[in-house]
């Protein structure tokens, strides 16, 4: 049994990770400032004696005694990370420094939730880990993209300078229950709009693509990555290579919900990547991991979650 810190543990992915590690018999310390996360995401874990929830902002130092750290704290949807862009960069950069400092003092293994956004609007398709990316350093997405890139730099410098045991995962679009209903990400937006019978907001022509990974598959990838030997640092892409146009996603959501919602066109946001698909050869080879849940099956579970949430009046 290990004592494991999860920053951003009350968020969408973090809450699933907390659950999974508790199921494995570990002690979990969930640290979150509830910026985009919510107590309700972990309310069902509060009775578990191995679970502890702490309100804390990772841009400030944190002194706790743990064996492993999963650093997930950071708003992840464009609406939320662009709301206070300076705080977003601080969370990625100062948060990484503090968690790396903690890992250094404790000699703890540390995992970083990096992102496919480090590839920006990619000119190489699909994106392998060797690709350095095409990122605008001064645009609206930069606080997130560059913050996460700088965090990766810090992880590798702490490894080179202090011999830390690091695991850097580049996560591609992930979806599932407990996504924030109003965070503007495409899967939650479309599902909530379809369930409410509101127009489905398609940005641009809807011909841009994304590859969607169901959250349970992703969490399995995290755990396998953390269990690798110290020589395995990443970066490793984690995502589902099944690539869909956003228009096809909209049509699929309408079909699965039986909704009468119509598609409504909106302008494409600035710097919106045209294509995104992970090359997961490395994850397959090193972690023996690949996603098992296909889009339709994952969407059905997500629809069931949002349906219950809307009926409960919580969203
Ligand atoms: P989320 O917004 O649901 O979770 C992020 C959590 O971090 C929230 O609970 C939030 O309250 C917390 N947080 C934010 N700033 C904080 C701070 N300064 N101190 C403490 N806690 C803070 O998003 P998510 O989708 O669960 O994403 C989790 C991580 O995975 C993020 O680091 C994100 O960048 C990364 N990621 C997610 C995706 C995706 O598709 N969901 C893709 C790539 C990377
Ligand atoms: N830190 C922390 N918890 C710890 C140890 C360090 O939050 O248990 C913070 C510390 O406040 C510092 C940062 O992590 O700002 C980086 O620590 P490191 O030891 O690498 O650098 P230094 O303290 O020498 O600046
Ligand atoms: N998108 C859309 N309608 C929405 C929300 C998003 O058409 O209501 C598009 C968006 O322009 C982008 C894609 O869906 O091309 C994925 O957007 P999301 O914000 O989920 O993730 P990211 O752009 O960070 O991959």
């Amino acid at each position: 049994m290990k004592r494991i810190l999860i920053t951003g543990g009350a968020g969408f992915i973090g809450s699933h990770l907390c659950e999974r590690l508790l199921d494995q018999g570990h002690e979990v310390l969930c640290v979150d400032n509830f910026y985009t996360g919510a107590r309700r995401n972990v309310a069902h874990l509060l009775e578990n004696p191995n679970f502890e929830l702490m309100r804390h902002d990772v841009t400030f130092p944190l002194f706790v005694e743990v064996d492993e750290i999963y650093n997930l704290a950071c708003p992840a949807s464009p609406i939320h990370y662009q709301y206070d862009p300076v705080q977003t960069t601080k969370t990625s950069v100062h948060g990484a420094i503090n968690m790396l400092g903690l890992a250094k003092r404790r000699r703890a293994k540390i995992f970083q939730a990096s992102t496919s956004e480090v590839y920006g609007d990619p000119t190489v398709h699909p994106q392998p880990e060797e690709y350095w990316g095409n990122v605008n350093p001064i645009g609206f997405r930069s606080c997130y993209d560059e913050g996460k890139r700088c965090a990766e730099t810090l992880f590798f410098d702490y490894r080179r300078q202090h011999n830390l045991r690091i695991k850097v995962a580049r996560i591609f679009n992930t979806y599932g229950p407990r996504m924030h209903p109003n965070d503007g990400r495409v899967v939650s937006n479309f599902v909530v709009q379809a369930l409410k019978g509101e127009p489905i907001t398609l940005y641009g022509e809807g011909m841009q693509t994304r590859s969607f990974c169901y959250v349970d598959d992703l969490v399995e990838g995290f755990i396998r990555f953390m269990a690798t030997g110290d020589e395995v640092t990443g970066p490793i892409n984690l995502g589902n290579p099944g690539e869909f146009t956003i228009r096809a996603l909209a049509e699929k959501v309408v079909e699965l919900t039986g909704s009468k919602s119509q598609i409504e066109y909106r302008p494409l946001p600035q710097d919106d990547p045209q294509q995104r698909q992970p090359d997961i050869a490395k994850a397959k080879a090193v972690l023996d991991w690949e996603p098992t849940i296909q889009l339709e099956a994952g969407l059905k579970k997500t629809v069931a979650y949002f349906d219950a949430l809307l009926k409960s009046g919580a969203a």
Side-chain angles (χ1 to χ4, degrees):
M1 179 165 116
K2 296 194 183 96
R3 197 166 154 70
I4 303 176
L5 167 63
I6 304 177
T7 75
F12 157 51
I13 298 172
S15 63
H16 289 273
L17 181 62
C18 288
E19 216 169 78
R20 195 55 193 284
L21 292 170
L22 287 168
D23 282 348
Q24 292 187 338
H26 299 294
E27 269 185 43
V28 170
L29 171 58
C30 169
V31 162
D32 206 295
N33 69 349
F34 302 122
Y35 178 52
T36 52
R39 268 177 74 86
R40 75 156 178 265
N41 287 339
V42 290
H44 61 298
L45 306 177
L46 291 171
E47 295 294 295
N48 189 323
N50 288 332
F51 182 73
E52 193 181 340
L53 177 61
M54 182 182 192
R55 182 192 281 263
H56 174 79
D57 183 325
V58 295
T59 61
F60 296 98
L62 176 67
F63 289 84
V64 291
E65 306 313 308
V66 291
D67 312 306
E68 285 181 356
I69 303 165
Y70 288 87
N71 187 34
L72 273 60
C74 187
S77 78
I79 288 185
H80 283 137
Y81 71 66
Q82 289 170 21
Y83 177 74
D84 185 350
V86 173
Q87 174 67 13
T88 299
T89 303
K90 279 190 191 169
T91 293
S92 275
V93 176
H94 293 186
I97 292 174
N98 287 327
M99 292 310 109
L100 287 160
L102 171 58
K104 184 179 127 197
R105 180 177 61 77
R106 286 287 311 161
R107 301 314 300 169
K109 245 196 266 187
I110 181 165
F111 172 101
Q112 168 67 357
S114 189
T115 170
S116 54
E117 288 278 323
V118 301
Y119 301 123
D121 191 358
T123 55
V124 171
H125 194 78
Q127 292 84 53
E129 290 83 353
E130 292 71 30
Y131 178 51
W132 287 356
N134 176 35
V135 175
N136 176 356
I138 59 169
F140 290 114
R141 296 178 89 102
S142 312
C143 57
Y144 184 72
D145 300 5
E146 297 289 16
K148 289 283 190 180
R149 285 171 69 95
C150 184
E152 285 199 9
T153 307
L154 285 160
F155 269 69
F156 281 85
D157 280 334
Y158 265 80
R159 171 156 184 93
R160 284 183 285 257
Q161 236 172 294
H162 302 296
N163 204 26
L164 280 202
R165 296 182 290 160
I166 62 162
K167 311 281 173 196
V168 176
R170 290 185 180 151
I171 304 163
F172 284 65
N173 297 64
T174 300
Y175 70 100
R178 301 197 205 116
M179 290 183 90
H180 195 298
N182 302 318
D183 77 2
R185 281 189 273 190
V186 69
V187 173
S188 42
N189 263 14
F190 286 1
V191 170
V192 170
Q193 289 162 348
L195 288 172
K196 287 183 168 171
E198 292 172 355
I200 307 278
T201 53
L202 193 59
Y203 302 161
E205 304 278 304
M207 296 316 286
Q208 69 273 35
T209 68
R210 293 292 187 274
S211 307
F212 299 100
C213 185
Y214 188 68
V215 63
D216 289 355
D217 278 334
L218 186 79
V219 165
E220 176 66 28
F222 284 14
I223 287 170
R224 288 190 189 207
F225 194 177
M226 195 58 128
T228 53
D230 295 350
E231 73 290 354
V232 182
T233 60
I236 296 182
N237 289 338
L238 293 179
N240 190 324
E243 185 183 6
F244 297 85
T245 64
I246 298 303
R247 180 195 295 268
L249 176 75
E251 287 162 358
K252 183 55 84 190
V253 169
V254 169
E255 179 197 317
L256 290 178
T257 50
S259 173
K260 296 198 166 47
S261 294
Q262 302 288 317
I263 289 180
E264 198 172 278
Y265 291 89
R266 299 273 176 86
L268 192 67
Q270 198 191 350
D271 294 338
D272 199 276
Q274 268 307 304
Q275 283 187 306
R276 188 184 288 148
Q277 183 193 31
D279 175 338
I280 60 163
K282 201 166 172 184
K284 279 186 184 164
V286 180
L287 311 178
D288 189 24
W289 174 87
E290 68 182 311
T292 58
I293 300 159
Q294 296 313 313
L295 186 64
E296 183 155 332
L299 280 178
K300 282 184 182 160
K301 294 183 199 222
T302 311
V303 167
Y305 167 79
F306 280 114
D307 195 31
L309 192 73
L310 291 173
K311 284 181 179 143
S312 77

